[in-house]
Amino acid sequence: MSDEGRLSGGYVPDDRAPGVEGEATATWLTYTVGLGLAILATIVSFVVSQTNLLWEPGVPVGLVVLAFAQIGVHLVFFLHLGSGPDHTNNVLALAFGLFIVFLVITGSCWIITHLHDNMTLAPMQ
């Protein structure tokens, strides 16, 4: 292919950004499987919470496991976050975001607990 098309701003059929060599594209089947798994995880969550399928103290743990499964389905099938070498920055950004969310939630719970302890009324004598 000549440089004339590139210099004049013409369309070059295989013109890609650097680092996008051979990137796999998602197909209809990928999105359908992801949707099916997301719907299945949602239905199972409702069944677990509304029936006696799990031992009563184990229901919150089961819901947390299903929530993480739901997050995994969304990350893999819809956001296309993989473990390949070209996804390293995405995984690091996700890990940093999760770390910040963990810090905010943990810090908020810590502050609320100490406020509760310090602001409760002393028993009247």
Side-chain angles (χ1 to χ4, degrees):
M1 179 161 269
S2 68
D3 287 336
E4 294 170 6
R6 293 179 192 267
L7 295 176
S8 64
Y11 174 71
V12 179
D14 198 25
D15 194 19
R16 296 182 187 185
V20 187
E21 314 296 326
E23 183 176 326
T25 58
T27 62
W28 183 82
L29 180 63
T30 304
Y31 286 115
T32 306
V33 168
L35 178 65
L37 289 174
I39 290 172
L40 180 68
T42 303
I43 291 171
V44 170
S45 296
F46 278 105
V47 168
V48 164
S49 68
Q50 299 297 320
T51 63
N52 293 330
L53 189 63
L54 288 180
W55 180 50
E56 196 64 34
V59 170
V61 175
L63 291 176
V64 167
V65 168
L66 287 168
F68 279 115
Q70 184 86 288
I71 291 170
V73 166
H74 285 279
L75 288 175
V76 171
F77 287 98
F78 300 124
L79 297 176
H80 309 294
L81 189 65
S83 61
D86 54 334
H87 293 283
T88 304
N89 287 338
N90 294 340
V91 172
L92 287 175
L94 176 67
F96 180 72
L98 290 174
F99 177 68
I100 294 299
V101 167
F102 172 76
L103 285 178
V104 167
I105 291 173
T106 306
S108 297
C109 290
W110 182 70
I111 289 170
I112 290 170
T113 301
H114 283 283
L115 280 175
H116 176 72
D117 292 342
N118 292 332
M119 306 232 3
T120 53
L121 296 174
M124 308 252 333
Q125 295 183 11

